[in-house]
Amino acid sequence: MAEFRNVTIATGAVDETDSLRQTVHTLLEVCDAKDVAEILICCAKHISPECQRVVDELTLMKTDVPVIAFTQKRNKLGAVVDCIERAEGSHCIFTDSDLALDLTCVAEMIKRAKESPDSIISSSRWLEGCTFVEYGRLKKLLNFIAQRFLGILFSASLTDFTNPFQIAPTVLYKSIEWENEGFPIFIEMVLKPLRLGYKFTEVPTNCYPRRQGESKNSFLQTAMYLKTALHIRFMKKKDILKKDSLL
């Protein structure tokens, strides 16, 4: 049984500057310091000089929460796994550094994680009252169809399967055999715990356009979600976990 001690908050740095700075400062503002083990910034191998200067500035801040930067080892979004390996908190949450998600909900997510430390506390853009800002009609329609399809495929009542902005026990993340270094790793983060039988609790979050940096996503990469989802749906549960899993 998991116990909530604190959470590792992880983000990435490629070419963001002001948005990265605001991401870290917002997290420090909305979260109680005693609830946060660390803020990890995984720096891309090709990080821009301007972004690196902001990373250096953030790691030198005097704060009750350590801000730790390191250079990723794996390719592309394998940086997620790099962060998981380094995480010291009892729980983990990953967020972008482009301000595309409403970071103010992190405090509520931590509160729920304290109440139910064995659950996945996920955020949803589809709960009542949530808003998609500057999100094209066609893109929103396709997102809605994808959520409905995945709900049927996995016989689950989640409203947002494609948003990995969630708090999960670190031991779970460390025990999963991650298979992707591209965008499908994001859906792995949701669907593999779901297949393992973890309970999900959703909190509302708004979706905004990225404020800085170039999007690394594409329609083709997003389409790969479907292939990954089908693969995970029919995996044996024992194959989702590493052979030396602690679960």
Side-chain angles (χ1 to χ4, degrees), residues 78-138:
V80 170
V81 186
D82 291 343
C83 288
I84 290 170
E85 289 181 349
R86 297 180 67 104
E88 296 290 338
S90 64
H91 289 67
C92 284
I93 182 170
F94 291 82
T95 183
D96 292 331
S97 55
D98 57 14
L99 299 177
L101 292 169
D102 186 356
L103 298 176
T104 60
C105 72
V106 175
E108 177 63 23
M109 294 169 75
I110 290 175
K111 177 184 175 184
R112 301 283 187 96
K114 289 179 176 180
E115 297 168 349
S116 186
D118 281 313
S119 298
I120 308 294
I121 312 301
S122 62
S123 61
S124 173
R125 300 160 293 179
W126 286 102
L127 292 176
E128 186 177 353
C130 296
T131 303
F132 285 83
V133 179
E134 296 180 25
Y135 204 88
R137 288 187 179 180
L138 177 59

Side-chain angles (χ1 to χ4, degrees), residues 2 5-10 37-38 40 70 73-74 79-94 120 166-179 185 188-189 192-193 196 198 238-247:
R5 298 190 314 275
N6 46 38
V7 62
T8 291
I9 304 176
E38 62 200 344
L40 295 181
F70 67 97
K73 298 183 298 182
R74 292 172 175 81
V80 170
V81 186
D82 291 343
C83 288
I84 290 170
E85 289 181 349
R86 297 180 67 104
E88 296 290 338
S90 64
H91 289 67
C92 284
I93 182 170
F94 291 82
I120 308 294
Q166 60 189 26
I167 294 180
T170 302
V171 67
L172 168 63
Y173 277 164
K174 288 182 182 288
S175 297
I176 288 176
E177 190 71 67
W178 303 105
E179 299 176 83
I185 195 171
E188 277 192 82
M189 295 174 72
K192 286 189 171 179
L196 290 170
Y198 276 75
K238 67 180 180 66
D239 295 332
I240 294 175
L241 296 172
K242 297 176 181 176
K243 289 184 172 56
D244 60 350
S245 164
L246 297 176
L247 296 179

Side-chain angles (χ1 to χ4, degrees), residues 145-166:
I145 293 171
Q147 308 303 341
R148 294 294 184 178
F149 171 77
L150 291 170
I152 294 170
L153 182 65
F154 285 85
S155 301
S157 58
L158 282 178
T159 63
D160 201 340
F161 292 85
T162 56
N163 181 14
F165 186 39
Q166 60 189 26

Side-chain angles (χ1 to χ4, degrees), residues 167-230:
I167 294 180
T170 302
V171 67
L172 168 63
Y173 277 164
K174 288 182 182 288
S175 297
I176 288 176
E177 190 71 67
W178 303 105
E179 299 176 83
N180 290 281
E181 289 189 342
F183 274 86
I185 195 171
F186 291 145
I187 203 166
E188 277 192 82
M189 295 174 72
V190 178
L191 297 184
K192 286 189 171 179
L194 187 64
R195 282 282 287 124
L196 290 170
Y198 276 75
K199 177 186 175 183
F200 280 70
T201 298
E202 292 184 312
V203 300
T205 186
N206 294 320
C207 180
Y208 302 105
R210 64 184 296 124
R211 310 286 179 86
Q212 248 185 356
E214 295 182 10
S215 175
K216 314 302 182 294
N217 203 348
S218 71
F219 178 78
L220 178 61
Q221 289 168 321
T222 303
M224 291 296 291
Y225 276 21
L226 175 59
K227 179 180 178 182
T228 301
L230 290 169

Side-chain angles (χ1 to χ4, degrees), residues 229-242:
L230 290 169
H231 169 64
I232 294 171
R233 176 62 183 84
F234 298 107
M235 286 182 78
K236 294 179 180 179
K237 292 184 180 180
K238 67 180 180 66
D239 295 332
I240 294 175
L241 296 172
K242 297 176 181 176

